[in-house]
Amino acid sequence: MTNISRPSVLSGMRPTGKLHLGNYMGALANWVKLQDDYECYFFIADWHALTTDYADTSQVKANIGEVALDWLGAGLDPEKCILFLQSKVLEHAKLHLLFSMITPISWLERVPTYKEQQENLTGKDLTTYGFLGYPLLQAADILLYQPQFVPVGQDQVVHVELTREIARRFNQFYKIGGNEVLPEPKVLLTPSPKLPGTDGRKMSKSYGNTIMLTDTETEVRQKLKTMVTDPARVRRTDAGDPDKCPVGDLHKVFSTPEKLDEVYAGCRSAGIGCIQCKGWAADSLVQILGPIQGRRAGYTAKQALEIIEAGSVRAQQRAAQTMREVDAAMQMPIG
Ligand code: TRP
Ligand code: SF4
């Protein structure tokens, strides 16, 4: 490995199960690009899954396997980056505990996602300590690897900002010979194109409108058929506007510029029908998904988990290095 001097990035994903195109475009595709230029740590945040799903843990293990396979399918390469599982690196729990000692509760209560999520996920009792501490565990996840950058989408920016505040507070209290131990990482904002699901709303597992990375060509074509279109285009002879159509949005993300030109011209002149246009969109999706599924099929679930195990050993070594500094700074070199 010659990546010692490269700047480092860390990011993570909760094990929600098989991933969809929104997960791919909003995170994975970006991670795959980063692995060539950065020292990368990517992990599955299985303890974070418990913050909302503590009452039913029956799916967590299977979900970890599916996420690992989707990562490999997407092109994350264990030769280039460190892929690991949060719960395999106990240092995450230790640093979280130490952070919990120095973090005012008000900082956590003020994180906007805290109240929002409690209101949105009404079916669950989220008055737990773990749920309040979610962003603190995330701060530990990040700072444990002393990364320069954290590639995340807009929704996670507040969590990285809190992480920076935690680092600052830690560094004020504890130093080694006057030197700070936990550098403040910067957000590397993942550009996320508008990616609608089949119902026209943002593609999201909770809306049930997703196209999965593992969907077969038949499934993709079937889903596209049911996809909503520009509501102004009622009859075949009505002109439409791809800028007001979720299928148009898919073309913008996945189709070639030439095809996109055809879509604009054909839709606005009523020269093409929506069925044909959806067929083209499906073609583009199949083009993207083919190689992902091909790579995914090259691994068994067992192999994917072995890769994550091996990555976790390497991640643990890096985490232990930070914890030695943390312990020394806190004058608690007892571990
Ligand atoms: N909270 C992130 C999400 O829901 C997942 C996550 C956990 C994470 N720990 C992290 C992301 C550390 C980046 C860095 O998507
Ligand atoms: Fe949407 Fe295509 Fe139909 Fe235009 S032709 S409304 S872009 S599906």
Side-chain angles (χ1 to χ4, degrees):
M1 285 274 149
T2 53
N3 56 12
I4 301 300
S5 61
R6 294 192 287 180
S8 57
V9 305
L10 171 131
S11 198
M13 219 181 252
R14 277 173 298 147
T16 48
K18 283 185 179 171
L19 301 178
H20 54 74
L21 268 176
N23 302 126
Y24 180 70
M25 293 310 294
L28 268 184
N30 187 46
W31 294 4
V32 171
K33 285 191 205 134
L34 292 171
Q35 64 182 347
D36 289 317
D37 300 319
Y38 294 88
E39 182 186 346
C40 292
Y41 292 88
F42 298 127
F43 75 101
I44 301 174
D46 56 339
W47 280 333
H48 272 111
L50 300 181
T51 58
T52 51
D53 290 325
Y54 58 85
D56 179 7
T57 53
S58 60
Q59 297 307 307
V60 177
K61 197 172 175 191
N63 288 350
I64 291 168
E66 295 293 354
V67 170
L69 280 169
D70 277 335
W71 281 12
L72 296 166
L76 287 179
D77 180 348
E79 299 286 320
K80 293 183 183 169
C81 55
I82 297 178
L83 307 175
F84 70 99
L85 183 63
Q86 183 183 37
S87 64
K88 289 276 167 190
V89 183
L90 297 182
E91 282 78 358
H92 289 248
K94 178 172 172 183
L95 191 57
H96 174 236
L97 174 97
L98 295 175
F99 283 167
S100 77
M101 302 298 169
I102 67 167
T103 306
I105 294 174
S106 61
W107 288 19
L108 299 175
E109 286 170 337
R110 242 185 268 130
V111 174
T113 45
Y114 178 59
K115 285 232 163 59
E116 277 165 29
Q117 288 250 62
Q118 274 192 333
E119 280 158 20
N120 293 344
L121 302 174
T122 43
K124 291 169 184 165
D125 179 1
L126 296 181
T127 58
T128 58
Y129 169 70
F131 186 69
L132 179 65
Y134 183 109
L136 201 56
L137 180 56
Q138 184 161 351
D141 297 337
I142 296 169
L143 295 172
L144 204 42
Y145 300 88
Q146 299 168 316
Q148 274 89 342
F149 300 104
V150 186
V152 285
Q154 187 62 47
D155 64 317
Q156 294 297 315
V157 169
V158 289
H159 291 157
V160 180
E161 270 161 14
L162 179 79
T163 300
R164 292 166 58 84
E165 286 171 48
I166 303 286
R168 225 172 294 149
R169 189 167 168 88
F170 183 95
N171 291 334
Q172 272 165 12
F173 291 142
Y174 319 112
K175 293 185 171 60
I176 305 178
N179 294 321
E180 295 186 349
V181 167
L182 301 176
E184 287 177 44
K186 294 192 179 63
V187 168
L188 198 64
L189 194 63
T190 310
S192 58
K194 188 174 173 193
L195 195 76
T198 47
D199 60 359
R201 293 186 290 176
K202 180 183 155 76
M203 191 181 290
S204 163
K205 188 181 181 196
S206 51
Y207 292 151
N209 63 0
T210 55
I211 295 164
M212 308 305 290
L213 296 183
T214 42
D215 278 349
T216 62
E217 175 162 358
T218 314
E219 286 168 320
V220 171
R221 293 195 185 280
Q222 190 52 42
K223 285 183 180 180
L224 259 286
K225 272 187 195 143
T226 67
M227 187 148 180
V228 299
T229 56
D230 177 0
R233 208 171 174 201
V234 182
R235 284 175 298 264
R236 169 69 180 81
T237 48
D238 296 334
D241 183 354
D243 288 336
K244 295 185 182 139
C245 174
V247 180
D249 289 329
L250 287 188
H251 276 294
K252 282 181 219 167
V253 178
F254 298 109
S255 294
T256 61
E258 296 74 34
K259 189 48 84 182
L260 190 59
D261 286 346
E262 280 186 75
V263 169
Y264 271 107
C267 178
R268 287 174 170 163
S269 65
I272 58 167
C274 290
I275 293 174
Q276 183 173 17
C277 182
K278 288 174 161 187
W280 291 346
D283 294 342
S284 299
L285 292 186
V286 167
Q287 284 276 323
I288 298 281
L289 295 178
I292 294 176
Q293 295 175 359
R295 268 188 304 264
R296 197 187 201 273
Y299 298 94
T300 63
K302 186 162 169 281
Q303 283 170 329
L305 289 176
E306 280 165 7
I307 287 169
I308 298 290
E309 291 267 1
S312 300
V313 172
R314 293 178 64 196
Q316 193 276 332
Q317 288 163 356
R318 180 64 189 81
Q321 185 189 321
T322 302
M323 286 316 295
R324 280 192 290 274
E325 294 177 31
V326 165
D327 285 339
M330 294 183 77
Q331 299 182 276
M332 296 184 78
I334 50 172

